[in-house]
Amino acid sequence: PSMLKKSGSPDLSTWLEWALLLIGLGMISIPEAFQLYTLIGLACLLGAFVLRVARDGGRLYHTRMEIPGLVFLASAALATWIAYDRGMAFLQFERLVAGGVLFYVVAGRKISAGESSSAHRKGVELRWIGIGILALASGLAVYWPLHQDYSAALDKFFLITNLLKWIQGHLPVFPGPNFQSNVVAGTLILAAPIGLGLVADAKRRGAAIATFIEVGGTAIVFIGLLLTSSRGAWMGLAAAVGLASIILVQRRWLFSQVKRGAFWVIVVLGGLAIIEGLLLSGRADGLVGQLPDPTGTLQSRITVWSDGADLIGDYVYTGSGLMTAPRVYSIYELLIGVPYQNNLNNLFLEIWLEQGIFGEIALLSILGVVASWAWKALSGVQKPSSSTQSILGWAGLVGVLAITVHGLVEVVFYGQRTVPLVGLILGFAYLAHPSSEAMVSERSGHHRRNMGIGMTVTVVCLVLLGLFYRPLISAFYANLGAIEQTRLELSIYDPDNFQNDTLDQVRERLSLGSVQDALHKSLDWNPRNRVALLRLGEIALSREDVSGAQATLQAAWDTGYRDSRTRLLYGDLLVMRGQVQRAASVQQGVAWAVERMAGQAWYRYWVNNDYPRARDAWQTVLLLDPSNKDAGYWVDQAVQQLKAGNP
């Protein structure tokens, strides 16, 4: 490729790389479901990656992102294989791979210490990549408010909603695909720091026209971010501004390594103390509830997080599979037959649920690597050799912080078309990491230290395995049973037409012997394994196997489990046994208890002419909700059927 270079300008391989990138991104980003041509898009992306490596002399930049990135993709590959819808899962996997490729698109343009021949060209390329992100985001900021329908919008923020309605009433409506407001906000909050960085760089270069254009684009991005009404994105932006202020304090007054380390220890411990104080005092719910939110969704996030953490225990090692969270959460945690939540409202929980513990460890390691880049940059070991690189590197770090904080309360990029953008912002963050000959000489020391850490972690894991090997092996078999059950049931069950083929009917028809064998093996290793007990009991209830359900659900109850899933299933067992009063007492106060029991009264009992249990189920509904007139009516109908001599 070096033979194709022209002085100071991109060579032919660079143009080919960008052509392959744009074609590949278009092919995997446009479709809503897997299509065969997305494989061509993946091949184009990998081809662009190979060109990048070849142009760098066959070497890959050592960013420390390689191992956690590969582990993350490996866990995603496993999650693709075990997913009940492999087509949708593979499309998500392709987009994750695209994010990795885009990371090296930016990271490969980092200007190393002493490099001069291509420094100017790389700086220009970085600038144009940033301009592309800003153009995409500003276009989205204009498109989104002119496309959405706000006629029936709930007033999260009255003034913003009215402004959006006014805009749509006075400006033309754009046709095109729909984008959820939080997804739009996530994209805009990623682009906002890049826009500010471009403005700072243009002012440094004295480029008046570029400054004017980039100020306008950045302003559009911030206005669009305001119009999305995304509190999570605003919180991410506020966190970025707050941390930037703290960094300025450190950079201005604290120069020695000891003072700098002590300062950041105090900052981190202070932040953790505030969070812990809110949680222990019970004021976290009140603080969240004080935000304007007539839908109640923000108030319920803590419950969703708790439920999501509980469900992770079913798939702790392998995950439930890519793109499975909405159905898995509703069917196996809330125990309702239709999807209720699009996600768990927390990126870290979502990834652990779908990709298992190795995906979660990889995610945390990736953030740890970014934190190490930031620490090196804050330490001031060496100034980057390009001002453009320095400015955009800091913008990348701010962007990573903003989307991470946003990810604590929303799942924005993961599972969306926009997930490759995360690779770009990580690449920009890498630019802030200083490179020098001194750092190269320190590499052997870092290697020895990393080996020591690795050996320590290995020893700790072996000790834990020796102490808790039975529960861990039990959890592994429960995980296998949960995966197999999910794959078999959800590959057939259609929640959009549940009235035609209910989940109970699917379970009656399916051969779940392999699932039950794995769950029983789990109980052989640990008779108290909650996941195995509940899933065996759930299968037995669907098949109206009272004795089987009694054996497992009673064991779970006697063990002391009192979580919502145990209470719902144990209450179902009590209804099946005719113990209405106790069933209502067990399920009292549990979310979805009334709706679930009413649904079971109809779909599990009434349509199967089991009128005694239908009566008991509706009586339970009445005890849970005395004002439920429908339940009272159907109790009377069931009683009439029984009086008429129907069994």
Side-chain angles (χ1 to χ4, degrees):
S2 60
M3 297 177 63
L4 301 173
K5 290 183 180 178
K6 296 180 180 180
S7 177
S9 63
D11 54 43
L12 180 59
S13 64
T14 302
W15 291 111
L16 182 57
E17 176 191 354
W18 277 107
L20 290 174
L21 280 172
L22 295 176
I23 293 171
L25 287 173
M27 286 185 172
I28 68 170
S29 299
I30 293 174
E32 296 183 359
F34 174 76
Q35 305 291 337
L36 285 176
Y37 64 77
T38 62
L39 294 174
I40 300 175
L42 180 61
C44 290
L45 291 170
L46 295 178
F49 178 74
V50 170
L51 277 176
R52 162 57 49 188
V53 174
R55 206 164 58 251
D56 289 333
R59 65 184 177 88
L60 196 64
Y61 275 79
H62 181 69
T63 65
R64 298 180 62 193
M65 191 67 77
E66 287 72 31
I67 292 178
L70 287 174
V71 172
F72 188 84
L73 289 178
S75 69
L78 175 62
T80 301
W81 177 256
I82 65 177
Y84 64 84
D85 187 344
R86 287 182 181 170
M88 286 298 299
F90 189 75
L91 181 60
Q92 163 76 338
F93 178 74
E94 289 178 311
R95 291 169 177 168
L96 292 174
V97 171
V101 172
L102 290 181
F103 168 75
Y104 281 104
V105 166
V106 180
R109 287 166 170 83
K110 180 177 174 62
I111 303 170
S112 303
E115 185 177 2
S116 59
S117 59
S118 60
H120 175 70
R121 176 175 57 82
K122 285 185 175 181
V124 173
E125 289 177 352
L126 288 172
R127 203 175 298 136
W128 277 106
I129 294 172
I131 290 172
I133 294 174
L134 181 61
L136 174 67
S138 57
L140 182 61
V142 173
Y143 166 82
W144 183 77
L146 294 177
H147 173 73
Q148 300 299 107
D149 180 11
Y150 304 100
S151 58
L154 291 172
D155 293 335
K156 287 184 179 181
F157 296 96
F158 180 76
L159 292 177
I160 294 177
T161 302
N162 282 348
L163 176 59
L164 288 169
K165 290 179 180 179
W166 182 91
I167 290 173
Q168 194 173 62
H170 291 79
L171 295 174
V173 176
F174 287 171
N178 294 318
F179 293 97
Q180 206 267 344
S181 61
N182 286 314
V183 175
V184 174
T187 305
L188 299 182
I189 199 175
L190 177 148
I194 300 296
L196 293 174
L198 289 171
V199 171
D201 181 60
K203 290 183 67 177
R204 177 190 63 82
R205 294 182 291 111
I209 296 177
T211 302
F212 176 78
I213 295 174
E214 288 160 3
V215 165
T218 305
I220 291 173
V221 167
F222 275 99
I223 293 172
L225 184 60
L226 175 66
L227 294 179
T228 61
S229 299
S230 174
R231 293 158 299 219
W234 296 351
M235 187 172 72
L237 185 62
V241 172
L243 186 61
S245 302
I246 294 173
I247 289 172
L248 289 176
V249 171
Q250 185 248 284
R251 299 281 286 183
R252 185 175 180 85
W253 287 293
L254 302 172
F255 303 104
S256 71
Q257 189 170 356
V258 174
K259 290 182 179 179
R260 194 165 51 241
F263 174 78
W264 284 107
V265 167
I266 293 172
V267 169
V268 172
L269 292 180
L272 292 176
I274 293 173
I275 294 173
E276 185 177 3
L278 289 172
L279 293 175
L280 293 178
S281 65
R283 295 179 180 177
D285 286 343
L287 180 63
V288 172
Q290 290 173 6
L291 295 174
D293 187 14
T295 65
T297 55
L298 191 59
Q299 179 67 33
S300 67
R301 271 179 173 80
I302 295 175
T303 300
V304 173
W305 297 339
S306 176
D307 290 341
D310 175 72
L311 185 60
I312 285 171
D314 291 39
Y315 311 94
V316 63
Y317 293 114
T318 65
S320 59
L322 293 185
M323 305 299 287
T324 61
R327 290 191 182 186
V328 166
Y329 173 70
S330 295
I331 292 171
Y332 297 111
E333 177 60 34
L334 300 181
L335 304 179
I336 58 177
V338 294
Y340 170 67
Q341 284 279 136
N342 290 328
N343 52 63
L344 299 182
N345 291 113
N346 183 286
L347 175 66
F348 299 89
L349 292 176
E350 186 95 356
I351 288 178
W352 195 340
L353 174 60
E354 292 197 352
Q355 292 185 222
I357 190 170
F358 296 105
E360 184 72 8
I361 291 173
L363 172 65
L364 295 176
S365 299
I366 287 170
L367 293 178
V369 169
V370 175
S372 72
W373 297 341
W375 181 254
K376 288 290 185 182
L378 287 169
S379 299
V381 175
Q382 176 192 3
K383 293 182 179 180
S385 56
S386 167
S387 295
T388 298
Q389 174 174 291
S390 177
I391 293 170
L392 293 180
W394 282 103
L397 289 175
V398 171
V400 172
L401 173 65
I403 65 174
T404 300
V405 174
H406 192 188
L408 293 174
V409 294
E410 292 288 351
V411 179
V412 178
F413 294 100
Y414 191 71
Q416 302 292 336
R417 295 185 176 113
T418 53
V419 69
L421 293 176
V422 177
L424 285 177
I425 200 66
L426 287 173
F428 277 109
Y430 174 63
L431 300 179
H433 178 263
S435 57
S436 67
E437 298 301 324
M439 291 179 60
V440 174
S441 65
E442 294 173 2
R443 191 168 298 169
S444 60
H446 290 320
H447 180 68
R448 288 193 297 270
R449 184 161 58 249
N450 291 338
M451 286 187 63
I453 294 174
M455 292 179 63
T456 302
V457 171
T458 301
V459 170
V460 171
C461 290
L462 290 175
V463 171
L464 292 176
L465 181 62
L467 292 174
F468 303 104
Y469 73 97
R470 295 192 69 87
L472 291 173
I473 295 175
S474 175
F476 174 74
Y477 279 113
N479 191 158
L480 292 182
I483 291 171
E484 185 70 1
Q485 181 185 8
T486 302
R487 186 184 63 82
L488 290 173
E489 293 179 354
L490 299 191
S491 61
I492 296 175
Y493 175 65
D494 181 8
D496 295 330
N497 297 287
F498 64 91
Q499 68 278 2
N500 298 329
D501 205 3
T502 67
L503 190 57
D504 287 341
Q505 292 169 337
V506 169
R507 286 177 179 152
E508 288 176 357
R509 189 169 66 250
L510 280 173
S511 174
L512 298 177
S514 59
V515 175
Q516 293 169 307
D517 288 344
L519 296 175
H520 281 298
K521 286 181 180 178
S522 172
L523 294 178
D524 290 340
W525 285 95
N526 178 17
R528 299 163 57 92
N529 187 287
R530 173 178 161 275
V531 173
L533 290 172
L534 295 186
R535 287 196 174 247
L536 285 169
E538 187 178 16
I539 293 171
L541 287 172
S542 293
R543 295 174 171 179
E544 297 191 25
D545 177 7
V546 180
S547 60
Q550 174 72 27
T552 54
L553 295 178
Q554 189 66 52
W557 189 260
D558 293 342
T559 300
Y561 298 125
R562 294 297 186 271
D563 55 277
S564 60
R565 195 171 10 159
T566 302
R567 291 168 64 189
L568 289 173
L569 290 173
Y570 188 60
D572 294 345
L573 171 64
L574 294 173
V575 168
M576 197 169 282
R577 294 173 54 189
Q579 300 177 3
V580 174
Q581 292 285 347
R582 192 177 177 201
S585 174
V586 165
Q587 295 190 350
Q588 189 70 49
V590 179
W592 295 100
V594 173
E595 294 83 354
R596 281 189 68 259
M597 191 59 67
Q600 290 188 43
W602 180 263
Y603 289 107
R604 178 174 283 178
Y605 301 129
W606 182 269
V607 297
N608 292 317
N609 302 321
D610 189 346
Y611 300 116
R613 286 174 176 162
R615 175 202 58 200
D616 292 344
W618 273 311
Q619 285 180 340
T620 304
V621 172
L622 276 177
L623 290 174
L624 292 170
D625 180 14
S627 64
N628 194 309
K629 296 181 180 179
D630 289 338
Y633 169 80
W634 285 108
V635 167
D636 293 339
Q637 293 297 310
V639 169
Q640 291 179 18
Q641 291 289 337
L642 292 173
K643 288 181 178 179
N646 295 318

